[in-house]
Short mmCIF file of all heavy atoms in Angstrom, two decimals:
data_model
loop_
_atom_site.label_atom_id
_atom_site.label_comp_id
_atom_site.label_asym_id
_atom_site.label_seq_id
_atom_site.Cartn_x
_atom_site.Cartn_y
_atom_site.Cartn_z
N ILE A 143 0.84 -1.20 0.00
CA ILE A 143 0.00 0.00 0.00
C ILE A 143 0.87 1.25 0.00
O ILE A 143 0.64 2.20 -0.76
CB ILE A 143 -0.96 -0.02 1.21
CG1 ILE A 143 -2.00 -1.11 1.04
CG2 ILE A 143 -1.63 1.34 1.39
CD1 ILE A 143 -2.85 -1.36 2.27
N ALA A 144 1.91 1.24 0.84
CA ALA A 144 2.81 2.40 0.92
C ALA A 144 3.54 2.62 -0.39
O ALA A 144 3.69 3.75 -0.87
CB ALA A 144 3.80 2.21 2.06
N GLU A 145 4.00 1.52 -1.01
CA GLU A 145 4.75 1.63 -2.26
C GLU A 145 3.86 2.14 -3.40
O GLU A 145 4.23 3.08 -4.12
CB GLU A 145 5.32 0.26 -2.62
CG GLU A 145 6.06 0.23 -3.94
CD GLU A 145 6.49 -1.18 -4.33
OE1 GLU A 145 6.16 -2.14 -3.60
OE2 GLU A 145 7.14 -1.32 -5.37
N VAL A 146 2.70 1.54 -3.58
CA VAL A 146 1.83 1.90 -4.70
C VAL A 146 1.30 3.32 -4.57
O VAL A 146 1.22 4.07 -5.56
CB VAL A 146 0.66 0.88 -4.80
CG1 VAL A 146 -0.40 1.38 -5.79
CG2 VAL A 146 1.19 -0.47 -5.24
N HIS A 147 0.97 3.72 -3.35
CA HIS A 147 0.35 5.03 -3.14
C HIS A 147 1.33 6.08 -2.60
O HIS A 147 0.91 7.18 -2.25
CB HIS A 147 -0.86 4.88 -2.23
CG HIS A 147 -1.93 4.00 -2.81
ND1 HIS A 147 -2.76 4.41 -3.81
CD2 HIS A 147 -2.25 2.69 -2.56
CE1 HIS A 147 -3.58 3.42 -4.15
NE2 HIS A 147 -3.30 2.37 -3.40
N ARG A 148 2.62 5.71 -2.53
CA ARG A 148 3.69 6.64 -2.19
C ARG A 148 3.46 7.32 -0.84
O ARG A 148 3.53 8.54 -0.71
CB ARG A 148 3.87 7.68 -3.31
CG ARG A 148 4.21 7.04 -4.66
CD ARG A 148 4.39 8.07 -5.74
NE ARG A 148 4.70 7.42 -7.01
CZ ARG A 148 4.92 8.08 -8.16
NH1 ARG A 148 4.85 9.40 -8.18
NH2 ARG A 148 5.19 7.42 -9.27
N LEU A 149 3.19 6.51 0.13
CA LEU A 149 2.89 7.02 1.47
C LEU A 149 4.12 6.97 2.36
O LEU A 149 4.97 6.08 2.24
CB LEU A 149 1.78 6.18 2.11
CG LEU A 149 0.45 6.12 1.36
CD1 LEU A 149 -0.50 5.16 2.07
CD2 LEU A 149 -0.18 7.50 1.22
N GLU A 150 4.21 7.92 3.29
CA GLU A 150 5.24 7.88 4.32
C GLU A 150 4.70 7.04 5.47
O GLU A 150 4.15 7.55 6.45
CB GLU A 150 5.59 9.29 4.79
CG GLU A 150 6.34 10.10 3.76
CD GLU A 150 6.96 11.36 4.36
OE1 GLU A 150 7.11 11.43 5.60
OE2 GLU A 150 7.27 12.28 3.58
N LEU A 151 4.82 5.75 5.34
CA LEU A 151 4.16 4.81 6.24
C LEU A 151 5.20 3.91 6.89
O LEU A 151 6.06 3.34 6.20
CB LEU A 151 3.14 3.99 5.45
CG LEU A 151 2.22 3.03 6.21
CD1 LEU A 151 0.89 2.88 5.49
CD2 LEU A 151 2.86 1.64 6.35
N THR A 152 5.11 3.77 8.18
CA THR A 152 6.03 2.92 8.94
C THR A 152 5.26 1.81 9.63
O THR A 152 4.30 2.07 10.37
CB THR A 152 6.77 3.74 10.01
OG1 THR A 152 7.49 4.81 9.39
CG2 THR A 152 7.74 2.86 10.78
N VAL A 153 5.64 0.58 9.36
CA VAL A 153 5.07 -0.56 10.08
C VAL A 153 5.89 -0.73 11.36
O VAL A 153 7.07 -1.07 11.31
CB VAL A 153 5.12 -1.85 9.23
CG1 VAL A 153 4.56 -3.03 10.02
CG2 VAL A 153 4.32 -1.66 7.93
N VAL A 154 5.28 -0.48 12.49
CA VAL A 154 6.02 -0.43 13.76
C VAL A 154 6.18 -1.81 14.40
O VAL A 154 6.97 -1.96 15.34
CB VAL A 154 5.34 0.53 14.75
CG1 VAL A 154 5.22 1.92 14.15
CG2 VAL A 154 3.97 0.01 15.20
N ASN A 155 5.45 -2.79 13.91
CA ASN A 155 5.52 -4.14 14.50
C ASN A 155 5.37 -5.16 13.38
O ASN A 155 4.31 -5.28 12.78
CB ASN A 155 4.41 -4.31 15.53
CG ASN A 155 4.29 -5.75 16.04
OD1 ASN A 155 5.24 -6.53 15.93
ND2 ASN A 155 3.14 -6.09 16.57
N ARG A 156 6.45 -5.87 13.08
CA ARG A 156 6.42 -6.87 12.00
C ARG A 156 6.38 -8.30 12.54
O ARG A 156 6.64 -9.25 11.80
CB ARG A 156 7.63 -6.68 11.08
CG ARG A 156 7.60 -5.35 10.32
CD ARG A 156 8.74 -5.23 9.33
NE ARG A 156 8.67 -3.98 8.60
CZ ARG A 156 7.95 -3.80 7.49
NH1 ARG A 156 7.26 -4.81 6.98
NH2 ARG A 156 7.93 -2.62 6.90
N ALA A 157 6.03 -8.46 13.78
CA ALA A 157 6.01 -9.79 14.38
C ALA A 157 4.92 -10.66 13.75
O ALA A 157 3.81 -10.20 13.52
CB ALA A 157 5.78 -9.69 15.88
N ASP A 158 5.29 -11.90 13.45
CA ASP A 158 4.35 -12.90 12.94
C ASP A 158 4.51 -14.14 13.82
O ASP A 158 5.36 -14.98 13.57
CB ASP A 158 4.64 -13.21 11.47
CG ASP A 158 3.68 -14.24 10.87
OD1 ASP A 158 2.73 -14.63 11.57
OD2 ASP A 158 3.89 -14.65 9.72
N ASP A 159 3.74 -14.21 14.86
CA ASP A 159 3.89 -15.24 15.88
C ASP A 159 2.50 -15.59 16.40
O ASP A 159 1.82 -14.75 16.99
CB ASP A 159 4.78 -14.72 17.02
CG ASP A 159 5.02 -15.73 18.11
OD1 ASP A 159 4.27 -16.73 18.20
OD2 ASP A 159 5.96 -15.52 18.90
N ALA A 160 2.08 -16.82 16.18
CA ALA A 160 0.70 -17.21 16.51
C ALA A 160 0.42 -17.26 18.01
O ALA A 160 -0.74 -17.38 18.41
CB ALA A 160 0.37 -18.56 15.89
N THR A 161 1.45 -17.14 18.86
CA THR A 161 1.19 -16.98 20.29
C THR A 161 0.81 -15.54 20.61
O THR A 161 0.29 -15.28 21.69
CB THR A 161 2.41 -17.36 21.15
OG1 THR A 161 3.47 -16.41 20.90
CG2 THR A 161 2.89 -18.77 20.84
N PHE A 162 1.11 -14.63 19.70
CA PHE A 162 0.87 -13.19 19.90
C PHE A 162 1.56 -12.70 21.17
O PHE A 162 1.04 -11.85 21.90
CB PHE A 162 -0.63 -12.87 19.92
CG PHE A 162 -1.30 -13.12 18.59
CD1 PHE A 162 -1.83 -14.37 18.28
CD2 PHE A 162 -1.39 -12.12 17.64
CE1 PHE A 162 -2.44 -14.61 17.05
CE2 PHE A 162 -2.00 -12.35 16.40
CZ PHE A 162 -2.53 -13.59 16.11
N ARG A 163 2.75 -13.21 21.41
CA ARG A 163 3.50 -12.88 22.63
C ARG A 163 3.92 -11.41 22.67
O ARG A 163 4.30 -10.90 23.73
CB ARG A 163 4.73 -13.79 22.75
CG ARG A 163 5.79 -13.56 21.68
CD ARG A 163 6.98 -14.49 21.86
NE ARG A 163 6.63 -15.87 21.59
CZ ARG A 163 6.88 -16.87 22.44
NH1 ARG A 163 7.44 -16.64 23.60
NH2 ARG A 163 6.53 -18.10 22.11
N PHE A 164 3.89 -10.73 21.54
CA PHE A 164 4.30 -9.33 21.47
C PHE A 164 3.20 -8.37 21.92
O PHE A 164 3.42 -7.17 22.03
CB PHE A 164 4.68 -8.99 20.02
CG PHE A 164 3.65 -9.45 19.03
CD1 PHE A 164 2.52 -8.71 18.76
CD2 PHE A 164 3.81 -10.68 18.38
CE1 PHE A 164 1.56 -9.16 17.87
CE2 PHE A 164 2.85 -11.13 17.49
CZ PHE A 164 1.72 -10.37 17.23
N MET A 165 1.99 -8.90 22.16
CA MET A 165 0.87 -8.05 22.55
C MET A 165 0.99 -7.61 24.01
O MET A 165 1.60 -8.29 24.83
CB MET A 165 -0.45 -8.79 22.36
CG MET A 165 -0.85 -8.99 20.91
SD MET A 165 -1.18 -7.45 20.04
CE MET A 165 -2.51 -6.75 21.03
N THR A 166 0.36 -6.46 24.30
CA THR A 166 0.15 -6.08 25.70
C THR A 166 -1.22 -6.61 26.13
O THR A 166 -2.14 -6.75 25.31
CB THR A 166 0.22 -4.56 25.87
OG1 THR A 166 -0.61 -3.92 24.89
CG2 THR A 166 1.64 -4.06 25.71
N ILE A 167 -1.34 -6.91 27.40
CA ILE A 167 -2.50 -7.61 27.94
C ILE A 167 -3.74 -6.71 27.96
O ILE A 167 -3.66 -5.53 28.27
CB ILE A 167 -2.19 -8.12 29.36
CG1 ILE A 167 -1.01 -9.10 29.31
CG2 ILE A 167 -3.41 -8.80 29.98
CD1 ILE A 167 -1.25 -10.32 28.47
N ASP A 168 -4.88 -7.30 27.63
CA ASP A 168 -6.14 -6.56 27.62
C ASP A 168 -6.65 -6.36 29.06
O ASP A 168 -6.07 -6.86 30.03
CB ASP A 168 -7.17 -7.29 26.77
CG ASP A 168 -8.25 -6.37 26.22
OD1 ASP A 168 -8.19 -5.15 26.50
OD2 ASP A 168 -9.15 -6.85 25.53
N HIS A 169 -7.76 -5.69 29.20
CA HIS A 169 -8.30 -5.27 30.50
C HIS A 169 -8.56 -6.41 31.46
O HIS A 169 -8.50 -6.25 32.68
CB HIS A 169 -9.60 -4.49 30.28
CG HIS A 169 -10.71 -5.34 29.71
ND1 HIS A 169 -11.63 -6.00 30.49
CD2 HIS A 169 -11.01 -5.65 28.42
CE1 HIS A 169 -12.46 -6.69 29.72
NE2 HIS A 169 -12.12 -6.49 28.46
N ASP A 170 -8.83 -7.62 30.90
CA ASP A 170 -9.23 -8.75 31.74
C ASP A 170 -8.12 -9.78 31.94
O ASP A 170 -8.36 -10.88 32.42
CB ASP A 170 -10.46 -9.44 31.15
CG ASP A 170 -10.22 -9.89 29.71
OD1 ASP A 170 -9.14 -9.62 29.16
OD2 ASP A 170 -11.14 -10.52 29.14
N GLY A 171 -6.90 -9.43 31.55
CA GLY A 171 -5.78 -10.34 31.75
C GLY A 171 -5.55 -11.31 30.61
O GLY A 171 -4.70 -12.20 30.73
N LYS A 172 -6.26 -11.15 29.50
CA LYS A 172 -6.11 -12.05 28.36
C LYS A 172 -5.36 -11.35 27.22
O LYS A 172 -5.39 -10.12 27.11
CB LYS A 172 -7.48 -12.51 27.85
CG LYS A 172 -8.23 -13.39 28.83
CD LYS A 172 -9.53 -13.90 28.22
CE LYS A 172 -10.25 -14.83 29.18
NZ LYS A 172 -11.51 -15.37 28.57
N ILE A 173 -4.71 -12.17 26.39
CA ILE A 173 -4.15 -11.64 25.15
C ILE A 173 -5.31 -11.54 24.17
O ILE A 173 -5.99 -12.52 23.87
CB ILE A 173 -3.06 -12.58 24.58
CG1 ILE A 173 -1.87 -12.65 25.53
CG2 ILE A 173 -2.61 -12.09 23.21
CD1 ILE A 173 -0.79 -13.62 25.08
N ARG A 174 -5.54 -10.35 23.71
CA ARG A 174 -6.64 -10.12 22.78
C ARG A 174 -6.24 -9.01 21.81
O ARG A 174 -5.88 -7.92 22.24
CB ARG A 174 -7.92 -9.76 23.54
CG ARG A 174 -9.15 -9.67 22.66
CD ARG A 174 -10.40 -9.30 23.46
NE ARG A 174 -10.84 -10.38 24.34
CZ ARG A 174 -10.73 -10.38 25.66
NH1 ARG A 174 -10.17 -9.34 26.26
NH2 ARG A 174 -11.17 -11.38 26.38
N MET A 175 -6.32 -9.26 20.51
CA MET A 175 -5.87 -8.29 19.52
C MET A 175 -7.00 -7.33 19.18
O MET A 175 -7.44 -7.20 18.03
CB MET A 175 -5.36 -9.02 18.28
CG MET A 175 -4.06 -9.78 18.49
SD MET A 175 -4.14 -11.12 19.71
CE MET A 175 -5.17 -12.31 18.84
N ASP A 176 -7.45 -6.64 20.21
CA ASP A 176 -8.60 -5.75 20.10
C ASP A 176 -8.11 -4.32 19.94
O ASP A 176 -7.68 -3.68 20.91
CB ASP A 176 -9.49 -5.88 21.34
CG ASP A 176 -10.75 -5.04 21.26
OD1 ASP A 176 -10.92 -4.32 20.25
OD2 ASP A 176 -11.57 -5.11 22.18
N CYS A 177 -8.19 -3.80 18.71
CA CYS A 177 -7.66 -2.46 18.45
C CYS A 177 -8.56 -1.36 18.97
O CYS A 177 -8.25 -0.17 18.82
CB CYS A 177 -7.39 -2.29 16.95
SG CYS A 177 -8.77 -2.74 15.90
N SER A 178 -9.69 -1.71 19.62
CA SER A 178 -10.52 -0.71 20.28
C SER A 178 -10.17 -0.59 21.77
O SER A 178 -10.71 0.26 22.46
CB SER A 178 -12.01 -1.05 20.14
OG SER A 178 -12.33 -2.23 20.87
N SER A 179 -9.25 -1.45 22.22
CA SER A 179 -8.87 -1.45 23.63
C SER A 179 -7.57 -0.67 23.83
O SER A 179 -6.55 -1.01 23.22
CB SER A 179 -8.69 -2.88 24.13
OG SER A 179 -8.01 -2.90 25.37
N PRO A 180 -7.55 0.33 24.71
CA PRO A 180 -6.29 1.06 24.96
C PRO A 180 -5.24 0.18 25.62
O PRO A 180 -4.05 0.50 25.54
CB PRO A 180 -6.72 2.20 25.89
CG PRO A 180 -7.98 1.72 26.54
CD PRO A 180 -8.66 0.87 25.51
N TYR A 181 -5.66 -0.90 26.24
CA TYR A 181 -4.69 -1.80 26.88
C TYR A 181 -4.01 -2.70 25.85
O TYR A 181 -2.80 -2.88 25.88
CB TYR A 181 -5.40 -2.63 27.96
CG TYR A 181 -6.14 -1.75 28.93
CD1 TYR A 181 -7.53 -1.62 28.87
CD2 TYR A 181 -5.45 -1.00 29.88
CE1 TYR A 181 -8.22 -0.77 29.74
CE2 TYR A 181 -6.12 -0.15 30.76
CZ TYR A 181 -7.51 -0.04 30.67
OH TYR A 181 -8.18 0.80 31.52
N ALA A 182 -4.79 -3.23 24.92
CA ALA A 182 -4.21 -4.03 23.84
C ALA A 182 -3.40 -3.16 22.89
O ALA A 182 -2.45 -3.63 22.25
CB ALA A 182 -5.31 -4.75 23.08
N MET A 183 -3.76 -1.88 22.80
CA MET A 183 -3.09 -0.95 21.89
C MET A 183 -1.99 -0.14 22.59
O MET A 183 -1.46 0.82 22.02
CB MET A 183 -4.12 0.02 21.31
CG MET A 183 -5.07 -0.60 20.31
SD MET A 183 -4.40 -0.61 18.64
CE MET A 183 -4.72 1.10 18.17
#
């Protein structure tokens, strides 16, 4: 997307790991890739 549309875009996390160990913990103590949660984000 960045290349085709000439965007100044930085991917800050390139991790590909099905444990999602790079995530920060959500509000309830679970790993959850919820981009609406300030804790997961």
Side-chain angles (χ1 to χ4, degrees):
I143 291 170
E145 177 186 3
V146 169
H147 298 285
R148 301 181 181 181
L149 302 176
E150 290 194 18
L151 186 150
T152 302
V153 178
V154 303
N155 172 21
R156 295 184 178 274
D158 181 5
D159 182 342
T161 66
F162 294 89
R163 67 180 68 232
F164 48 83
M165 289 296 301
T166 49
I167 299 299
D168 205 0
H169 65 93
D170 56 357
K172 294 185 178 181
I173 296 176
R174 187 180 289 108
M175 290 63 70
D176 184 358
C177 50
S178 68
S179 165
Y181 307 103
M183 289 274 281

